[in-house]
Each structure stands twice: as C-alpha cells, then as structure tokens.
Amino acid sequence: DAGITQSPRHKVTETGTPVTLRCHQTENHRYMYWYRQDPGHGLRLIHYSYGVKDTDKGEVSDGYSVSRSKTEDFLLTLESATSSQTSVYFCAISGGEGDYGYTFGSGTRLTVV
Amino acid sequence: ELKVEQNPLFLSMQEGKNYTIYCNYSTTSDRLYWYRQDPGKSLESLFVLLSNGAVKQEGRLMASLDTKARLSTLHITAAVHDLSATYFCAVDDNFGNEKLTFGTGTRLTIIP
C-alpha cells in the first residue's frame, strides 16, 4: 500500500499551456515537498509545504506555484510550461521527526514540446 | 546556502572490490541521509545518520557521518552487481521544515 502517490506518471504538453501535477499521501504527514530531477543537478527543491495552506519557495521556484488545501494533497502547477521545465518531478513527504527522512512518490515524467 | 558535493559522480568497479563514495557539505548539520535510485525508479531510503560518529550498516553498505569534518562516506564492501544504482546523499539545512539539499548523485556500475 503506497503511502504517497503521484499523478499523472507521464505527461506530454505543449509550450505555454498550464500543467498541474498532483501528490496524494495517506500518512497524515505534515511536510510535503516537490523536487525536480535533472541530469547533473541531482534533486532540486521547487516548493514545500509545512501544513495546510502553508507553503514556501525552494531554490528553483520560478514558473511554479503550489497549493495545499488539505493535508493529503499537494498540487504543483506550471503556470505556462516551457521546454526548460521538461524534467522528472518527485513529491516527497516527511513526518517532521527527522528520524526517517523522506518517502518519495514514484515520480512524474513531464515533457514540454 | 547549503551546498552538498558528492564524488565521484561516476564509478565503475569490478565485482568483489571495495570502494567509498564521499559526501561533503558546506554548513553545519547533524542530519544526513543516503538514498538509492534504480534507473527509471524513485528514491528509496538507505541510511539515516543523526549524530556525529554515527555508523550504519546494511549488507555490503556502510555509511558514516563526521559532522566536524562535514563529511559522510558510503562504503561498499565486496561489490555485487545488484548494487549498481545511483546513490544520493542529502543534508538537512537545520533551518526547520525538514528541508533536504541533495548531492548530484554517484552513478555506480558494478562490472562482473
């Protein structure tokens, strides 16, 4: 039983269109994160949330927005997709105790053409 | 700003050999994590290191943390093909909110 799921798993979209990725958790964890993974860069933090309606920017937040209206869902929106946003996006959750680190979702492979 | 550097970035080694992956970080932290990623897959947690001198072992992998040197190592003993993967270290920035900064990863290939 996966405690965290991402949707969609794959998406191809056109430049200039808005795109929303969804992260859903069943662990009731306080913290949720969106990272992007690109070759040579490891994982870079886009946005994170520390509670319902509480979000903050990460190191690569330009062109992205997030929302968290309930504990279990964290949405990432690309307001107007660009080719530089082609990437693999991972959602992660943390219970906040530091003892276990993150649990990651399966990832979303997004291609902007 | 916290910087995390891993080396080497690529490592090709023969089965049965030993090797070490290094993770250096730039600011004070006492929480460091190691993850494994198989091609096309997500990241899975390997080790959680929460204090200076912490050492964790699982099978042929052993991780250690030296917070004074801002260094963690992941040691591979008698490598086997199944250990081929990309390994990431990640460091908590200690500013709260459990934010982790990741290294760029080490792609490990074990050659029979």
Side-chain angles (χ1 to χ4, degrees):
Chain A
D1 226 14
I4 174 172
T5 55
Q6 290 184 233
S7 60
R9 292 294 310 276
H10 302 272
K11 186 170 182 66
V12 180
T13 192
E14 293 186 348
T15 298
T17 60
V19 177
T20 295
L21 308 183
R22 180 180 184 240
C23 180
H24 178 79
Q25 60 144 331
T26 58
E27 305 296 326
N28 200 36
H29 280 344
R30 176 182 177 189
Y31 297 99
M32 300 185 76
Y33 310 85
W34 278 107
Y35 284 83
R36 61 178 288 174
Q37 183 176 27
D38 303 289
H41 292 278
L43 279 79
R44 293 179 292 174
L45 182 63
I46 305 171
H47 282 279
Y48 66 99
S49 170
Y50 47 97
V52 173
K53 297 193 189 310
D54 292 323
T55 65
D56 205 350
K57 296 178 180 181
E59 69 174 301
V60 290
S61 60
D62 287 349
Y64 302 94
S65 62
V66 290
S67 66
R68 191 170 179 198
S69 58
K70 45 187 178 177
T71 299
E72 56 265 37
D73 289 326
F74 192 32
L75 304 180
L76 176 70
T77 297
L78 288 66
E79 294 143 5
S80 177
T82 67
S83 59
S84 64
Q85 293 175 312
T86 292
S87 186
V88 179
Y89 291 85
F90 285 101
C91 178
I93 59 176
S94 170
E97 297 165 353
D99 293 353
Y100 303 102
Y102 291 175
T103 301
F104 282 89
S106 299
T108 295
R109 183 173 295 274
L110 177 68
T111 303
V112 183
V113 298
Chain B
E1 181 186 351
L2 174 60
K3 301 283 188 187
V4 181
E5 291 186 355
Q6 280 183 243
N7 65 83
L9 299 184
F10 299 93
L11 177 56
S12 180
M13 53 190 293
Q14 287 186 315
E15 279 190 328
K17 299 292 187 182
N18 304 333
Y19 210 82
T20 301
I21 298 170
Y22 297 89
C23 175
N24 293 273
Y25 53 98
S26 61
T27 64
T28 302
S29 178
D30 53 8
R31 293 182 177 181
L32 190 139
Y33 307 83
W34 284 96
Y35 292 88
R36 169 182 171 144
Q37 185 181 37
D38 292 309
K41 303 293 186 182
S42 185
L43 284 80
E44 64 174 297
S45 180
L46 287 176
F47 298 111
V48 178
L49 303 170
L50 300 178
S51 61
N52 187 41
V55 177
K56 296 281 184 72
Q57 183 163 6
E58 180 73 33
R60 300 175 188 273
L61 299 178
M62 184 174 70
S64 65
L65 177 61
D66 181 343
T67 59
K68 293 179 181 176
R70 298 177 186 167
L71 171 68
S72 179
T73 60
L74 180 66
H75 187 72
I76 303 145
T77 302
V80 293
H81 181 70
D82 286 353
L83 292 179
S84 295
T86 299
Y87 294 86
F88 292 93
C89 64
V91 181
D92 188 315
D93 67 8
N94 273 6
F95 287 112
N97 294 323
E98 311 293 316
K99 287 188 299 174
L100 298 185
T101 298
F102 284 78
T104 51
T106 297
R107 182 178 293 179
L108 174 63
T109 303
I110 309 296
I111 303 167

